[in-house]
């Protein structure tokens, strides 16, 4: 299944948002690409998404392409996040007191 959609960006891409976005994208086996003006980048690559976030400037929209077996689930989660949804990063290390 292939899905393509253009999203209006209602929040700036801070470093935390970039890290969260890449983390969400890496949870799925399908291919996920984002970009603007025909230049698409792998959403699972941190450096590419950091570069995209810095180049957006006043750009108010990005294109999301999702293709693969779990594309619908990935699209649902990524699109919720791109539209301003909250994301709680899973704990990577257990804390002991």
């Amino acid at each position: 299944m292939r899905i393509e959609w253009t999203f209006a960006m209602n929040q700036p891409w801070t470093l935390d948002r970039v890290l969260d976005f890449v983390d969400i994208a890496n949870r799925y086996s399908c291919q996920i690409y984002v970009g603007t003006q025909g230049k698409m980048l792998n959403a699972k690559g941190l450096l590419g998404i950091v570069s995209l976030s810095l180049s957006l400037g006043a750009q108010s929209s990005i294109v999301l392409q999702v293709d693969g077996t779990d594309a619908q689930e990935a699209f649902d989660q990524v699109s919720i996040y791109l539209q301003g949804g909250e994301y709680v990063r899973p704990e990577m290390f257990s804390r002991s007191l």
Side-chain angles (χ1 to χ4, degrees):
M1 170 186 274
R2 181 183 174 125
I3 302 170
E4 183 170 321
W5 197 263
T6 301
F7 287 90
M9 299 299 294
N10 58 4
Q11 294 182 12
W13 282 66
T14 62
L15 182 56
D16 285 340
R17 285 194 56 80
V18 168
L19 291 172
D20 291 346
F21 178 79
V22 171
D23 185 46
I24 294 168
N26 277 297
R27 292 172 179 245
Y28 301 96
S29 62
C30 63
Q31 298 175 2
I32 304 174
Y33 291 94
V34 292
T36 59
Q37 302 169 351
K39 297 177 185 175
M40 301 303 288
L41 298 168
N42 183 347
K44 297 178 181 183
L46 181 60
L47 292 179
I49 301 305
V50 168
S51 173
L52 173 67
S53 71
L54 294 173
S55 69
L56 285 175
Q59 189 81 6
S60 62
S61 64
I62 63 168
V63 176
L64 172 68
Q65 292 177 347
V66 184
D67 190 13
T69 57
D70 56 354
Q72 185 64 57
E73 184 180 353
F75 176 79
D76 292 344
Q77 293 304 309
V78 171
S79 63
I80 288 169
Y81 189 71
L82 288 176
Q83 293 176 52
E86 292 297 317
Y87 175 69
V88 178
R89 228 181 268 155
E91 289 293 326
M92 295 184 71
F93 303 101
S94 63
R95 295 180 184 161
S96 59
L97 298 172

